[in-house]
Every structure is written in C-alpha cells, then in structure tokens.
Amino acid sequence: MPGKASKPSIKNEFTAFKTNRIVEVASHLFYERGYSSCTLDHVAERLGVTKPFLYSYFKNKEAILAAICEVGISESLSVLERTLAGEHADHRALLAEVVRQVGRIVIDRQEYVVVYQREMKHLSAKDHERILRLRHSFDHQIAELIREGVEAGEFREDTDSFVAVWIGGLISWIPTWYSPQGQKSAEDVIDQLVDAAMRLAGAE
Amino acid sequence: MPGKASKPSIKNEFTAFKTNRIVEVASHLFYERGYSSCTLDHVAERLGVTKPFLYSYFKNKEAILAAICEVGISESLSVLERTLAGEHADHRALLAEVVRQVGRIVIDRQEYVVVYQREMKHLSAKDHERILRLRHSFDHQIAELIREGVEAGEFREDTDSFVAVWIGGLISWIPTWYSPQGQKSAEDVIDQLVDAAMRLAGAE
DNA sequence: ATTCCCATCTACTGACCAGTAGTTTTTTTC
DNA sequence: GAAAAAAACTACTGGTCAGTAGATGGGAAT
C-alpha cells in the first residue's frame, strides 16, 4: 500500500515499481472507459496478472483511484511551488514560467489529470477532501502571484485575483482536447497557453 | 422516444412532459453519481415510478444519456446562432454578447453540461459523432467571429483564431467550480467571463 | 533435501443491475 | 358501463464484478 515511508531496499523498490505500474495501467484504462465501467479484471489482464495481485498492493479499487488523483494534482502543485521558490526578473516572467511548467506537467500527465477531474467524486470523503485541499492551495498560490503582480504595476490594475481560477481552467481544459497525435505540438500548445494566461492577467 | 416529429395534441404534450422529466431527473442523478454508477432504478425511484416506465419513453439507458448530452450542447449552439444572426455595433459587442448569452445557458444548464463533458464517451458511436459535430460547429463559428474581428482591426492583430478554443474552455470550465450556493452570483460570474473572453481576444 | 515463507493464482460468493415477459390498473371508446 | 386499448407495474433472468478464502509454487534459510 502506498503512503508508508520505509527504508530503501531492493525489495521496496520492487514493490514501488509494481505499485507504480498498477497506477499507470489503471489510469490509462480509467481514462478510456471511465472508472465505474472499468473492472479490476481489465486492469489485471492488461498487466498480465490476476485480480488478487492488485489487492496485495492496494486496499481496494478506490485506493487506486486515489493514487491516480494524487498524481493528477500533486505534481502540478509541486512544480508550481518549486518555480515560485526560484529567482525571477519580475512577476510577469514568474507567471509565464509557472504556467509553462504546469502546462507541461498537465500535458505529460494528461490521462491522470482527466481521470482526476472526472472521477474525483468517487473518492471516499477523506481522500476527496485531501485532494480538494491540494487544488485549493494551487489556485490560492496563483491568486497570490496575480495580486502581487498587480500591486507591482506589472499587470493591468483592474485585474481581479479571481483570474487565477480562469487560468487554472485554461490549464485544466487542455487535456480534454489536446492529443499528442494532433496537428499542434505540445510546445505550440504551451506557447499559446502562456500567451493566453498573460492576456488574462493583463500583462502585455 | 424523442426525435419524432408529431402533430401537437394534448397527448403528445403529456408524453413530451414525461420524457422531459425523465431527462431532468436522470441528468441530476448522473451528475451526482456518474452515469455508470447511477442505476435506472435510482432514476425511477426519484420520479416515483418503476424502471419499465422509463423503457416506454427511451430505448435504453444510453438513449437517456444522449438526450442529456444533446441539451448540454445544442442549447448553447442555438443561442450562439441566434445571437450571431442579430444586429450588433461591431465585433467587440458581438463577441461580448455571444459569450454572455452562452455563459448564461451554461450556468442555467450546469448539470447537463457537466454530464455531457464527462460521460460523452459512453454514447454509441453514432450519437457520439453527432454530438461532436455540434461541438465543432460551435468552436468553428466562434473562431470565424474572432477572425473577422481581427480583420476589422477590433481585436489585437496577433490574435490567433485558435483562442476560440480557449474561450470555449473558459465557458466549459464554469460548471466544474461554480455553485449557485457560492458567494459569487451568476451575474458576477458572467461579467467576469465576458471580461476574460475579451482579454483573450485582445479586444480592449 | 526439507522446511518455511511470500507472492501470486484458482475458484468462488453475494450483491447488483440492464433489460424483459407477462400481468394489472387506468383510461378511452362506443 | 362493458370492452378494448394504453399505461404502468410485478417479478424475473442472465450476466457482471468487487472482494475473498484457500491452494500452489518457487526461492531462501538451515
């Protein structure tokens, strides 16, 4: 089961690897078929194992979903915090960099993000609340960045810090239409995303 | 079953009314529990009827979902087309009005829109394609409006007509966070939406 | 080589649910 | 108000699936 800190050993690495593979495959199948319509037998089959195998790594189906949702939001949050902690010329540059980094994560982790958004309601109350807190922290930190930028005179003064929610929406919206097989490359999409976010912030 | 044109009569009105109630209640429950986890017995119970009742108005569960998805997109599309057909001072005013009208529909029909976005993949290939065509028509008409506005010099000249997708994203994003019980009124949200769309178009 | 242990599997259960067959109740028609 | 038609119901089926009990088999320890 995930969530336990244990000293590193070859054994724990094996376990972590298998846990990770389960989450990967489950994410892909939940993305394709939806959480409720995807059976654990499907997941096991795709992994070349059987259902009880899954139950020695996760307590139940919902725990797998929780692990997926956690990837969906927590990687974005940690790259946000890492970027905010770094050095930047001004708020404009910082916002652009934050949006670029998070956009990249969201594109890389497309399926996790979509599953997280679509299926969060199937989490237990406890998991649901924990994930929601991460999301709010994300929105809150972007709102703070906007507020400071307006104060510094770098964004249009009539910019409400609520645009943080709109920017979050822009980012979250990508995985519902972007496809790696499409005409637009990931880099194009990210460039356009950054441009759109700067316009919303009134930073041009 | 919906989709049949028939001459109006008191009888057909009854039928239409009941069909409509089914869609309303199903939409609400699919929104709350998700399509796959919501049983037709749930829907019937909430309506105070039994499951076979539903089957005399819809062919199967998926047909109910298709009706919900159709409401989710086609009302937005028809208000878009109605607005585009009207008189407007310039492209700026037209875009603002379009976004305002569609935003209002999306807020009014929140649950339908969310179900449509989340559950579309459970539609039959035929229904799926039909709904997708409506969506593309929507995006295409907004893209056209942007292109004309840029040409007329009313929007920033470096505005790609692809911002239509971002604006569509802004609109579609609302129902995932807006709540009628929240602090922000529907009118506030719509005003901010319009402002955000104008910024994306470079129209200020 | 024998024992133990751990990972994984086979085989099952109990609950649930979409969809249906055939019956009852209500409404319409004459 | 009786007969026919329509609407809705009761009761069921066949299939599916999360979760589990107990078997199996292969590697490590002695």
Side-chain angles (χ1 to χ4, degrees):
Chain A
M1 322 267 171
K4 292 186 193 162
S6 16
K7 45 180 126 75
S9 77
I10 196 82
K11 196 159 181 177
N12 287 333
E13 276 172 46
F14 273 141
T15 301
F17 177 79
K18 285 182 274 188
T19 303
N20 209 39
R21 284 289 295 141
I22 292 173
V23 173
E24 254 175 63
V25 167
S27 171
H28 181 67
L29 292 177
F30 291 177
Y31 173 79
E32 276 183 0
R33 305 168 180 246
Y35 172 70
S36 303
S37 312
C38 176
T39 74
L40 292 186
D41 285 318
H42 284 139
V43 176
E45 190 192 351
R46 186 65 71 93
L47 280 163
V49 297
T50 59
K51 188 165 49 178
F53 174 91
L54 306 179
Y55 279 87
S56 45
Y57 294 89
F58 290 91
K59 190 168 133 283
N60 53 29
K61 192 180 179 186
E62 189 246 308
I64 300 178
L65 179 61
I68 294 169
C69 291
E70 185 128 11
V71 173
I73 181 67
S74 69
E75 286 198 3
S76 295
L77 187 58
S78 71
V79 82
L80 167 67
E81 290 176 343
R82 212 176 312 134
T83 308
L84 286 176
E87 295 288 305
H88 289 88
D90 54 19
H91 293 87
R92 263 187 270 261
L94 181 53
L95 177 62
E97 186 61 12
V98 160
V99 171
R100 178 172 302 278
Q101 295 295 338
V102 175
R104 197 183 311 278
I105 295 281
V106 165
I107 285 181
D108 287 351
R109 300 292 191 177
Q110 267 210 85
E111 299 187 347
Y112 292 81
V113 174
V114 171
V115 171
Y116 149 64
Q117 288 172 19
R118 269 193 206 144
E119 315 287 3
M120 209 181 18
K121 66 178 163 305
H122 292 115
L123 293 176
S124 68
K126 216 183 175 91
D127 285 330
H128 191 269
E129 210 205 322
R130 184 169 49 86
I131 300 287
L132 220 55
R133 247 200 306 275
L134 296 176
R135 172 76 207 203
H136 285 149
S137 167
F138 182 92
D139 284 341
H140 184 264
Q141 291 186 62
I142 294 198
E144 193 55 35
L145 167 55
I146 303 279
R147 204 171 298 120
E148 288 172 10
V150 172
E151 221 161 86
E154 294 176 35
F155 303 146
R156 262 175 46 188
E157 60 181 358
D158 63 340
T159 302
D160 191 305
S161 71
F162 192 75
V163 297
V165 171
W166 296 116
I167 291 176
L170 242 40
I171 296 173
S172 305
W173 182 241
I174 293 175
T176 68
W177 56 263
Y178 168 76
S179 157
Q181 282 84 43
Q183 318 87 316
K184 280 192 142 43
S185 74
E187 289 309 311
D188 287 349
V189 171
I190 292 175
D191 286 344
Q192 282 207 324
L193 168 67
V194 171
D195 182 60
M198 298 309 272
R199 287 183 182 214
L200 284 181
E204 294 187 320
Chain B
M1 321 267 169
K4 291 185 192 161
S6 17
K7 46 179 125 76
S9 76
I10 195 81
K11 195 158 181 178
N12 287 332
E13 276 173 45
F14 272 141
T15 301
F17 176 78
K18 285 182 274 188
T19 304
N20 209 39
R21 284 289 294 143
I22 293 172
V23 172
E24 255 175 63
V25 167
S27 171
H28 181 67
L29 293 177
F30 290 178
Y31 172 79
E32 277 184 358
R33 306 169 179 247
Y35 172 70
S36 303
S37 313
C38 176
T39 74
L40 292 186
D41 285 318
H42 284 138
V43 176
E45 191 192 350
R46 186 66 69 96
L47 280 162
V49 297
T50 59
K51 188 165 51 178
F53 174 90
L54 307 178
Y55 279 88
S56 44
Y57 295 90
F58 289 92
K59 193 168 132 282
N60 52 30
K61 191 180 179 186
E62 188 246 309
I64 300 179
L65 179 61
I68 293 169
C69 292
E70 185 127 12
V71 173
I73 181 66
S74 69
E75 287 198 2
S76 295
L77 187 57
S78 71
V79 82
L80 167 68
E81 290 176 344
R82 211 175 312 134
T83 308
L84 286 175
E87 294 288 305
H88 289 86
D90 54 19
H91 292 87
R92 262 186 269 260
L94 181 53
L95 177 61
E97 185 62 12
V98 160
V99 171
R100 179 171 299 278
Q101 296 295 337
V102 175
R104 196 181 312 277
I105 295 280
V106 165
I107 285 181
D108 287 350
R109 300 292 190 179
Q110 268 210 83
E111 299 187 347
Y112 292 81
V113 173
V114 170
V115 171
Y116 149 65
Q117 288 172 19
R118 271 192 206 144
E119 314 288 2
M120 208 179 23
K121 65 178 165 306
H122 292 114
L123 293 175
S124 68
K126 216 183 174 94
D127 285 330
H128 191 269
E129 209 205 321
R130 184 169 49 84
I131 300 286
L132 221 55
R133 249 200 306 274
L134 296 177
R135 172 78 206 201
H136 285 150
S137 168
F138 183 92
D139 285 340
H140 183 265
Q141 291 186 62
I142 294 198
E144 192 56 34
L145 167 55
I146 303 280
R147 204 172 296 120
E148 287 172 10
V150 171
E151 220 160 86
E154 295 176 34
F155 303 146
R156 263 174 46 188
E157 62 182 357
D158 64 339
T159 302
D160 191 305
S161 70
F162 192 75
V163 295
V165 171
W166 296 116
I167 291 176
L170 242 39
I171 296 172
S172 306
W173 182 242
I174 294 175
T176 67
W177 56 264
Y178 168 77
S179 156
Q181 282 84 42
Q183 317 88 316
K184 280 193 143 43
S185 74
E187 288 311 311
D188 287 350
V189 171
I190 293 175
D191 286 344
Q192 283 206 324
L193 168 68
V194 171
D195 182 61
M198 299 309 273
R199 287 183 183 214
L200 284 180
E204 294 187 322

